[in-house]
Amino acid sequence: MSQPSDTTTDLSLSVSAPGKVILFGEHSVVHNKLAIAASLGLRTYLHFKECSESNNIHIEIPTVTLTYCINFKVLQQSLRTDFKCITDGPDLLDHVEVVTNVQKFINENSTAKFNDQQLTSLTGIFYLLFGILHSVDNLKPFTIKIETDLSLGAGTGSSASFAVTVAAAFVYYKHLKLLRTKLAAFSEDDKSLISKWAYCIEKICHGLPSGIDNTICTYGSMVKFRKSEGMQLVPTCEFQLLLVNTKVARSTKQILNNVMVLMQNHTAITDSILNTMDLIAESAVRFISEIGNDTNNSVLYQRLGELADLNQCMLQSLGVSHPAINRICTLLQRASLSGKLTGAGGGGYVITIIPPHLSKNVLNNIIEQLNSEGFETVLTKLGGLGVSID
């Protein structure tokens, strides 16, 4: 449902998108194996406001300690020159050329030195701005502020949640400027477009992403995903999830490269590992669906936990675990819980699904022990709302 917007005043909007966890299928999903992912109850929030009385575009991202201003006329001039040949839709863009032009634009219009996170954030914002808003003639100066519940670089989809949120804001803003109507929610066509634009930013961040992060951050819920088949909803119940942050930083791009080298050196063996991970994910889908019909069945949770243990073993054999991850999994086992890494590994988060029959005392005790060893824990929900207009 849409309604006319007031074009006599400065427009403002707020959007948000969830983070995500991969429950099964890390790394193997890149090679057309099945993965299961779900949205988190942790989100990224973007607040956008036109400022017609200002001469600048102002961007603030506290998470990466970034405050950036650029003269609006400089942006307009660049839209007419460097990006004048851009065409609608991410499928038609020359990705490398756009990234090169965006980074040239940033370098030429800033005297500050940016770290990797700051430069990647700015590149993503201006990539999407030029890509989505280039055809909007009546742009005004504006401010953007982006905040998040998510830890960066920890395997919970922070980059995809960021990309989806920015893409959603610009898609919605373009809708307001061209059609002059406000939306209550994004349509399926909007979501498809937002996800595609976000995937472009994921390529900047990670090189060769699977596409699952931008998909789940856009659509929410719980899905199974195979690159050759696309996304399918997994019908189930709401799960409680314990996220345990190792607080070990790592480079997703480097870990993916390491796995690729291992696969080249030991192709037959790694193919077998990936096929086993595919079977684990297929089995997990069945148990997750059965739990949806029998939410208090402790045996089903036990079987799902066994699959998580097997998946973690496969990931260890690919060399993507870490001593901190292994320690967390050991502590969880003492509480009869099954932990596994999520995302690229090498640090980041360990996840464990909390069965409803687990006593609060046991849960509180394991959380206290994990925290006492220097890890950070967050209790949250799995499978919530995707990108939304707030």
Side-chain angles (χ1 to χ4, degrees), residues 28 33 270-280:
S28 59
K33 308 303 180 185
T270 52
D271 281 351
S272 179
I273 292 170
L274 295 176
N275 288 334
T276 300
M277 291 171 72
D278 192 50
L279 292 172
I280 290 170

Side-chain angles (χ1 to χ4, degrees), residues 40 60 63 75-76 103 114 116 118 126 170 223 267-268 295 324:
L40 284 172
E60 184 179 354
T63 313
L75 177 72
Q76 287 181 309
Q103 292 186 338
F114 303 113
D116 288 344
Q118 292 168 337
F126 282 109
F170 289 156
V223 299
T267 304
T295 56

Side-chain angles (χ1 to χ4, degrees), residues 279-337:
L279 292 172
I280 290 170
E282 291 279 9
S283 295
V285 169
R286 292 196 296 273
F287 284 117
I288 287 170
S289 297
E290 288 180 27
I291 288 172
N293 296 320
D294 190 0
T295 56
N296 292 313
N297 191 323
S298 60
V299 174
L300 294 176
Y301 278 94
Q302 182 181 345
R303 296 292 176 266
L304 191 61
E306 290 166 355
L307 291 173
D309 290 335
L310 288 168
N311 200 166
Q312 174 62 20
C313 288
M314 296 300 103
L315 291 164
Q316 281 183 280
S317 67
L318 290 177
V320 299
S321 193
H322 185 276
I325 293 173
N326 300 339
R327 175 59 180 165
I328 292 168
C329 290
T330 298
L331 292 174
L332 290 170
Q333 285 173 352
R334 295 177 184 175
S336 300
L337 294 170

Side-chain angles (χ1 to χ4, degrees), residues 3-166:
Q3 54 185 337
S5 65
D6 184 356
T7 57
T8 63
T9 60
D10 288 344
L11 296 171
S12 65
L13 60 93
S14 295
V15 296
S16 67
K20 75 91 188 61
V21 289
I22 296 180
L23 301 176
F24 296 90
E26 292 88 349
H27 291 281
S28 59
V29 69
V30 178
H31 305 282
N32 203 37
K33 308 303 180 185
L34 186 68
I36 307 169
S39 57
L40 284 172
L42 306 173
R43 301 178 72 83
T44 299
Y45 306 88
L46 187 151
H47 307 285
F48 176 104
K49 181 175 175 57
E50 287 184 338
C51 300
S52 57
E53 295 182 358
S54 172
N55 295 319
N56 297 322
I57 287 174
H58 182 85
I59 297 169
E60 184 179 354
I61 312 177
T63 313
V64 296
T65 322
L66 176 66
T67 300
Y68 180 82
C69 284
I70 185 170
N71 187 278
F72 180 62
K73 290 183 179 179
V74 172
L75 177 72
Q76 287 181 309
Q77 178 62 29
S78 192
L79 279 169
R80 288 192 291 264
T81 56
D82 298 338
F83 298 93
K84 64 181 179 180
C85 296
I86 228 170
T87 52
D88 282 319
D91 297 333
L92 302 176
L93 292 185
D94 183 326
H95 176 73
V96 174
E97 181 180 1
V98 175
V99 171
T100 301
N101 286 342
V102 166
Q103 292 186 338
K104 179 183 176 185
F105 169 81
I106 293 170
N107 290 332
E108 290 179 347
N109 294 286
S110 178
T111 57
K113 285 192 174 182
F114 303 113
N115 62 34
D116 288 344
Q117 287 180 332
Q118 292 168 337
L119 181 58
T120 300
S121 299
L122 282 177
T123 302
I125 288 171
F126 282 109
Y127 184 112
L128 294 171
L129 190 157
F130 291 129
I132 298 171
L133 299 180
H134 70 278
S135 61
V136 179
D137 293 328
N138 55 338
L139 292 178
K140 292 182 180 180
F142 57 80
T143 65
I144 289 176
K145 185 172 183 178
I146 303 172
E147 300 174 293
T148 186
D149 300 328
L150 300 162
S151 296
L152 303 187
T156 51
S158 60
S159 64
S161 183
F162 164 86
V164 167
T165 306
V166 176

